[in-house]
Each structure stands twice: as C-alpha cells, then as structure tokens.
Amino acid sequence: MPEIGPEHPITYRQELMAPLFKKILARESCAVIGAASMGKSRVLQFLLRYDVRTHYLADAADTTVLLWLDCNRIAEFTAWGLHELILTTMVEASGEWVATKDLREPLNQLRKEAILAQNGLLAQRHVELALQMLCQEQGLQLCLIFDEFDEAYRSLPSQALASLRALRDRHKYQLNYVLFLRDHPAQL
C-alpha cells in the first residue's frame, strides 16, 4: 500500500474523483492523463484511502478491490513480467481485504510458480486462475490501477496487452482497468 501522505478532505479533487469512481462502479475502464508533477500520484494515493473508497463506493466498497500496480516495479517488459506484477500485487493486497485473506497462500503459490518458471503463458494462466478465485468464487470486483503505464504501453508486446483485453472480456463487469499516464495512448 502506498504511503497516503498528507490528509486531504474527502472533497479533495471531487471534480476528478466523482467521475473516476463512477467509472469504477460501472466497471468501465478509463485513463487519468497528466504531465509529470501534475499530481497524478497524489490522486492515486487519495483514491486508495479507505475512507475515500467508502465515501464514493458506498455499499460496493467492501466488494470492490482496488489493486495498485506500479509499472516501475515490472521485472521486464514481457508478457511474463506483466503477469508476474499482477500476481505479486494480488498477493500483497490479499491481506488487506477480509474476503481475500484465506486466498493469500494459494495466490502466493501461483506467484511462486510463475516466478520460478519465468514462462509467459504459465504466468498468464495463473493470473486467469487468480481472477477466477477472486471474481467468480469470491464475488469481488477488481479494479487494476496501472500507475506509470507509459513505458509499459510502449514496450510490452502486443500479445501481452491483448491478454489484458481477454481478461477483461472474460470477467466483464467484475474487472476493469484505470491507467495513469503522462501522455495519451495515441501519442505513445
């Protein structure tokens, strides 16, 4: 979990937060685009706060899991690297959510196998299994928040990005993405 920083009132950046959380509630993917040093990280840290999630998501706050994926942590810009980061983030966050605490060890086992094999297809299939456990079996909605996504978007092979689309299609209305970028994807 990121360091939340100074306390901002619940109304902080509500002109951005309200529509962003509306997209998350509707299970729609979107992007937050802004130049360097424009406050994207502060917005991201703010939206991850428990009181903020509860305020904007209301009854859906306990079943909507926001996963922060810092793309600066990606091991390599390959399908394996992308899926390993997703698995690692799922394991790290599993202890924070009541509904996922019992899944921490099974998720960590999938992660370990993906790391040891360093096989892109195995890592992708393990992400698919993890999403099956979280979305279908636990009834959770997941929002994967890709922070610092510019370089990943430029460098990842098209098949790795297509796998994100396939995951979204398979778990429609239970999985969505929020991308934090410096530039519009068309410019990348």
Side-chain angles (χ1 to χ4, degrees):
M1 184 68 134
E3 184 177 318
I4 302 304
E7 287 295 315
H8 294 290
I10 205 77
T11 56
Y12 172 74
R13 297 298 307 264
Q14 67 186 14
E15 75 284 356
L16 176 63
M17 290 296 154
L20 182 57
F21 275 104
K22 187 175 180 181
K23 291 277 192 192
I24 292 170
L25 271 172
R27 308 298 170 233
E28 296 176 10
S29 296
C30 62
V32 176
I33 301 168
S37 300
M38 292 300 292
K40 292 183 308 296
S41 294
R42 183 168 290 147
V43 165
L44 172 59
Q45 291 172 359
F46 182 74
L47 77 91
L48 292 172
R49 274 183 21 194
Y50 178 77
D51 61 330
V52 173
R53 292 192 321 260
T54 303
H55 174 76
Y56 285 101
L57 297 174
D59 293 340
D62 289 335
T63 57
T64 303
V65 177
L66 306 178
L67 295 177
W68 174 46
L69 293 104
D70 182 352
C71 291
N72 290 322
R73 295 178 63 201
I74 198 165
E76 57 186 49
F77 291 112
T78 63
W80 172 81
L82 173 66
H83 293 100
E84 184 278 328
L85 178 61
I86 294 171
L87 286 168
T88 295
T89 303
M90 287 177 175
V91 171
E92 291 169 350
S94 63
E96 298 172 26
W97 302 87
V98 174
T100 60
K101 285 187 187 234
D102 293 340
L103 295 176
R104 188 177 185 108
E105 191 48 44
L107 290 172
N108 196 36
Q109 187 59 40
L110 293 174
R111 177 184 162 271
K112 284 178 186 177
E113 290 173 12
I115 288 173
L116 290 174
Q118 290 196 11
N119 178 292
L121 180 59
L122 178 68
Q124 180 179 335
R125 296 297 183 245
H126 279 2
V127 168
E128 292 169 1
L129 287 171
L131 287 172
Q132 178 71 27
M133 294 183 330
L134 293 167
C135 295
Q136 266 48 55
E137 295 171 18
Q138 296 297 315
L140 298 172
Q141 285 74 43
L142 267 67
C143 177
L144 302 185
I145 303 169
F146 290 94
D147 188 20
E148 299 286 341
F149 195 66
D150 297 76
E151 186 60 33
Y153 187 79
R154 272 193 291 273
S155 301
L156 282 167
S158 60
Q159 184 55 39
L161 296 173
S163 75
L164 292 177
R165 174 62 187 255
L167 291 172
R168 169 77 172 101
D169 289 346
R170 183 167 182 199
H171 299 283
K172 198 153 184 100
Y173 305 114
Q174 288 189 289
L175 175 66
N176 65 314
Y177 307 115
V178 175
L179 309 177
F180 276 73
L181 301 147
R182 289 186 178 153
D183 295 308
H184 192 282
Q187 296 174 332
L188 298 174

